[in-house]
Amino acid sequence: MSDWQKVAGGITAPKGYQAAGIAAGLKTSGALDLALIVSETEAIAAGVFTTSQVRAACVDYCRQILQEGRSMRAILCNAGQANAGTGEAGWQDAMDCAQQLASRLNISPQEILLASTGVIGQRIKMEELIQALPQLVSAASVDGGADAATAITTTDLVAKEIALETIIEGRPVRIGGIAKGSGMIHPNMATMLAFITCDAVVSSQLWQEMLKRAVDKSFNQITVDGDTSTNDCVIAFANGQSRTSAITKVGKNASQLEAMLTEVCQYLAKAIARDGEGATCLIEVKVSGALSNQAAETVAKTIAGSSLVKSAVFGRDPNWGRIAAAAGRAGVKFHQDELDIKLGEITLMDNGQPQEFDRAAASNYLKQAAEGEYLQTDTVLIDVNLGGGSGVGTAWGCDLTYKYVEINAEYTT
C-alpha cells in the first residue's frame, strides 16, 4: 500500500501555488498556448534538461539561472514555437520574456524560469506574447492548473496532470505535476516538458538529487520514436509552505518525499508514452535477472524503443523473436539459454526455448490493450528475465502506427 493518495488540483494542489493558461495567439489554431506557474513565496528549484548539443534558448537560460543557486518564483511556458536553432535573436527573445513577465509580477527576472515547445527554428511570436502577459498574470489562480496543463501541449491528444498527498510529521505534504509530450520522445528525454510543484521544506541540493533520480526512473525510461529533441526539461519547485521540519539529509522523511516525487514523474512519463503520436496502446517492458539495475533498464529501453517490436504490437502480432532480438542487441551480456519472455500472462520463451502458445489468444491480448481505457487497461505488458541476476528495470513506450508517419510527414506543411 502506498504512503500517498491522489488529490485534485494538479500543479496548484500544493500550498502556495497559482497557475494560468490562456490563448495568446502563438498557435494558429487559437488554442491555449501560454502557461504560467507562480509560487506565492520564494521556492527552491531543481531542473533536468535535454542532453542534445542543439538546445533551445530557454534550456540554456534555465541552466544558467539554476547554476546561480537563486530562489525562484515563476515558470513561463509558450507553445507553438520552440525557439531552438534561432541564434542570438532567440536568446534575446528569452531574456525579453523573463524581463517582461518580471515587471508584471514585480519580481526579478532571475526568479523566472522559461520553457518553450513547438517547431524547431521558429522564434517566439514576441508581440503576441508580450501583449498577452497582463491577461496571463491576472488569470493566475489556484484553479488554473488544468488550463496550464492544456496550454503547454502541442500534438498531445490529452493534457497530463496529477497531484499526490502524503503525511509527514502529522502534516499534509503535496506534490503536483503537469507534462506535455507526444512525439520526438526518447530516453534522456526529448520533446517533453514537465513542471512539478511541492510544498515540502527541503534543501536545494537534496531536492536536485531527488529529481535526478526520479527522472532516471521515469522520463528517461520512456520512448516513442527514438528521437531526442532540443527543448526538453523537467523543473521542480519546493516552497516549504507545508511547514514541516526541513528535510536536509537522507532519512525516513526524505525517502517518503522522494518516493512520492518518483510516483508523480512515472505517472506523467507513462501518460506521455501512452499519448505517443498515433499510438493505440502503452507498452510496459519489465526486465529482471540482469547483473545490475542499469543493465536491466538498458534492455528494457531497447525493447520498448524497437521499431520492430512497436510495429508488431500495432499489428497485434505476438512475434516474440523481435523482443528477443532487441534484448540481444542492447549491449548487455546474458546467456540466451536463460532468456524468458512473457506477453501478459502468456509464456513465449522459457530458458531460451520457444514455447507452444495460443497465438490467437496472444493476438487478442494485444487487441484488447488497444481498446482499453486510457492508462488503465490499455497496457501491453512484456516481461523479460535474463537469468539469475538481481538487476531489475522498467521502460515504457507505445506502438508505431500509420498515423505516426502521417502526423510527422505533415508537421510543418
Side-chain angles (χ1 to χ4, degrees):
M1 184 176 178
S2 62
D3 293 326
W4 52 78
Q5 62 180 354
K6 281 190 177 183
V7 293
I11 198 74
T12 57
K15 289 183 179 179
Y17 292 96
Q18 298 183 1
I22 65 169
L26 305 179
K27 293 178 181 176
T28 57
S29 65
L32 302 184
D33 53 20
L34 189 62
L36 174 66
I37 301 165
V38 180
S39 174
E40 297 169 2
T41 58
E42 291 185 349
I44 63 167
V48 180
F49 302 93
T50 181
T51 59
S52 174
Q53 296 301 302
V54 179
R55 297 179 300 275
C58 57
V59 170
D60 288 338
Y61 174 85
C62 288
R63 281 176 165 172
Q64 179 177 308
I65 294 294
L66 289 175
Q67 284 176 355
E68 297 173 1
R70 300 173 181 268
S71 296
M72 292 292 120
R73 288 289 306 281
I75 302 169
L76 177 68
C77 178
N78 72 279
Q81 301 84 43
N83 200 25
T86 51
E88 293 182 4
W91 174 258
Q92 188 59 51
D93 288 343
M95 297 291 289
D96 290 344
C97 285
Q99 291 169 357
Q100 291 288 335
L101 178 61
S103 67
R104 288 162 176 80
L105 291 175
N106 196 28
I107 61 176
S108 166
Q110 284 73 39
E111 294 179 293
I112 296 171
L113 297 178
L114 305 173
S116 300
T117 183
V119 179
I120 294 171
Q122 291 188 3
R123 291 172 59 189
I124 301 169
K125 295 180 179 178
M126 291 299 293
E127 182 177 350
E128 288 86 345
L129 185 147
I130 291 172
Q131 288 179 351
L133 287 179
Q135 177 190 353
L136 182 70
V137 171
S138 64
S141 74
V142 294
D143 299 317
D147 283 345
T150 300
I152 67 174
T153 62
T154 50
T155 59
D156 306 58
L157 295 179
V158 296
K160 305 164 181 70
E161 61 177 340
I162 187 176
L164 300 178
E165 178 183 281
T166 192
I167 302 298
I168 296 179
E169 298 178 349
R171 301 183 68 88
V173 174
R174 291 182 172 185
I175 297 179
I178 61 176
K180 68 83 54 180
S182 186
M184 204 177 278
I185 305 293
H186 191 58
N188 291 324
M189 301 192 297
T191 304
M192 56 139 289
L193 306 175
F195 307 121
I196 296 166
T197 55
C198 177
D199 52 19
V201 184
V202 57
S203 71
S204 178
Q205 180 177 345
L206 189 58
W207 187 234
Q208 177 67 46
E209 292 170 354
M210 287 181 179
L211 181 65
K212 179 61 170 66
R213 287 191 292 266
V215 167
D216 283 342
K217 295 177 182 177
S218 57
F219 299 111
N220 280 345
Q221 288 296 110
I222 60 174
T223 181
V224 168
D225 47 23
D227 279 296
T228 298
S229 184
T230 56
N231 288 59
D232 49 312
C233 67
V234 180
I235 296 171
F237 279 10
N239 65 7
Q241 292 304 295
S242 65
R243 306 300 183 187
T244 58
S245 300
I247 301 173
T248 59
K249 60 183 179 180
V250 175
K252 178 183 177 182
N253 290 350
S255 297
Q256 189 173 344
L257 185 66
E258 183 172 343
M260 189 165 70
L261 175 62
T262 301
E263 179 69 15
V264 166
C265 289
Q266 288 187 343
Y267 177 92
L268 294 173
K270 287 189 284 185
I272 289 172
R274 173 59 186 85
D275 197 27
E277 290 170 339
T280 68
C281 62
L282 176 71
I283 301 173
E284 180 173 288
V285 182
K286 293 184 176 181
V287 175
S288 59
L291 295 180
S292 67
N293 289 346
Q294 183 177 9
E297 289 166 358
T298 297
V299 174
K301 284 188 288 188
T302 304
I303 295 171
S306 165
S307 294
L308 291 176
V309 172
K310 291 154 63 69
S311 298
V313 171
F314 173 59
R316 320 310 172 208
D317 178 12
N319 188 344
W320 61 263
R322 293 181 173 181
I323 300 170
R329 66 174 173 82
V332 170
K333 290 185 177 181
F334 64 90
H335 297 293
Q336 64 177 343
D337 58 1
E338 297 180 350
L339 181 64
D340 300 335
I341 299 174
K342 292 178 66 176
L343 183 64
E345 295 298 320
I346 302 171
T347 299
L348 309 180
M349 172 174 275
D350 183 59
N351 285 324
Q353 298 299 312
Q355 300 297 297
E356 294 289 338
F357 65 94
D358 187 336
R359 298 190 66 85
S363 181
N364 190 53
Y365 169 76
L366 297 173
K367 181 181 179 182
Q368 288 177 337
E371 296 173 350
E373 296 180 8
Y374 183 76
L375 279 179
Q376 294 181 23
T377 59
D378 67 341
T379 305
V380 170
L381 298 176
I382 298 175
D383 196 325
V384 175
N385 187 286
L386 303 180
S390 60
V392 295
T394 304
W396 298 273
C398 60
D399 56 345
L400 183 60
T401 72
Y402 309 132
K403 190 67 176 178
Y404 175 85
V405 177
E406 179 183 331
I407 291 170
N408 285 282
E410 301 171 356
Y411 193 70
T412 64
T413 54

